[in-house]
Amino acid sequence: MTPSQERAWEESRSDFLLEIAHGPAATSVAAGETGDPAEIFGREADLIVEVGSGQGHQILSAAAARPETNFLAVEVFRAGLARTVIRAADAGLTNLRLAEVNAPELLEHYLPEGSVAEIWVFFPDPWKKAKHHKRRLISADFARIAHRALQPGGVLRLGTDWQNYADHMREVMDEAPGFERAFDGDWAERYEGRVLTAFENKGIEKGRDIRDLTYRKI
């Protein structure tokens, strides 16, 4: 971070960043650490969690457009969180919080079961090499964790510009217990609430197809 970003981070992070105790790993969630969304936001409202929020372009836009909804950005790279905090403070957002932790742990242990209306995973690291595919976020275990966190009828939205990863996501989620497709045909329509980020633009410029998938908890 630049010195000005460091200053802004120190000045404004307390308004947005959740104070979550970490476990042995730098971004793990400590045993027994939990949070109640109604207490975190000071109100009862639908909660949308974005996993891997990067510099916050997507969730900042969504939070500004939907003040009636609560948003939680989960990211482990502090520079991205700092940029999100700066822009959120400038925009005067009150319905956005950030978590600097491992997203699966937050969804499985920190948030109450059935407390999330939607989970967004847009353009996660595709881990392109076959030997690294085991590191991909979307897996049977992640589907289990997402199912726990989502409320009945809750939605998991996925997006990627890597066809191999898109095929993998669809295979995993089609087989995941407790989920059904919320789209017809091979792929979901592009989610209209998703802004065009640098990641998506890069994929388009390289001629890659953007694949969306949407699944509903049953």
Side-chain angles (χ1 to χ4, degrees):
M1 291 186 283
T2 65
S4 62
Q5 288 170 342
E6 288 277 8
R7 287 194 298 273
W9 171 253
E10 293 301 327
E11 292 171 0
S12 301
R13 68 177 180 180
S14 61
D15 294 331
F16 299 96
L17 187 69
L18 299 184
E19 294 295 333
I20 301 176
H22 291 170
T27 57
S28 62
V29 176
E33 191 78 356
T34 60
D36 179 0
E39 293 180 1
I40 290 169
F41 290 91
R43 66 176 185 175
E44 295 279 356
D46 282 344
L47 173 63
I48 295 178
V49 177
E50 183 180 14
V51 174
S53 57
Q55 297 185 33
H57 294 106
Q58 171 60 50
I59 206 159
L60 287 164
S61 174
R66 299 168 61 178
E68 76 286 354
T69 303
N70 294 333
F71 290 87
L72 176 56
V74 189
E75 179 57 68
V76 296
F77 296 107
R78 183 167 292 182
L81 288 170
R83 293 184 180 97
T84 305
V85 162
I86 292 167
R87 294 178 181 127
D90 289 343
L93 297 177
T94 59
N95 60 332
L96 174 64
R97 299 293 185 273
L98 285 66
E100 189 180 14
V101 295
N102 182 28
E105 291 187 46
L106 177 132
L107 292 170
E108 184 172 19
H109 303 300
Y110 184 77
L111 293 177
E113 183 173 355
S115 62
V116 181
E118 295 189 14
I119 298 172
W120 296 350
V121 186
F122 297 140
F123 303 94
D125 192 330
W127 294 103
K128 293 172 283 185
K129 295 182 179 180
K131 66 180 180 180
H132 293 153
H133 284 183
K134 61 186 178 182
R135 300 182 185 179
R136 287 175 166 175
L137 175 66
I138 305 305
S139 64
D141 195 49
F142 181 81
R144 175 189 63 79
I145 291 169
H147 188 273
R148 175 203 173 275
L150 286 168
Q151 64 190 31
V155 172
L156 172 64
R157 299 189 187 278
L158 308 172
T160 183
D161 60 335
W162 285 93
Q163 185 64 48
N164 177 272
Y165 199 5
D167 293 337
H168 167 82
M169 288 177 171
R170 188 172 60 182
E171 179 180 348
V172 167
M173 292 308 304
D174 280 352
E175 296 177 356
F179 281 99
E180 66 178 5
R181 286 188 178 190
F183 61 95
D184 297 318
D186 292 333
W187 307 101
E189 293 292 324
R190 185 185 188 279
Y191 174 47
E192 61 182 10
R194 193 175 75 238
V195 298
L196 194 61
T197 64
F199 281 104
E200 186 167 355
N201 259 324
K202 183 178 179 181
I204 292 170
E205 289 169 359
K206 291 184 177 295
R208 294 196 285 264
D209 292 322
I210 309 301
R211 301 301 193 192
D212 278 69
L213 292 164
T214 308
Y215 289 85
R216 182 177 295 107
K217 175 179 175 175
I218 55 174

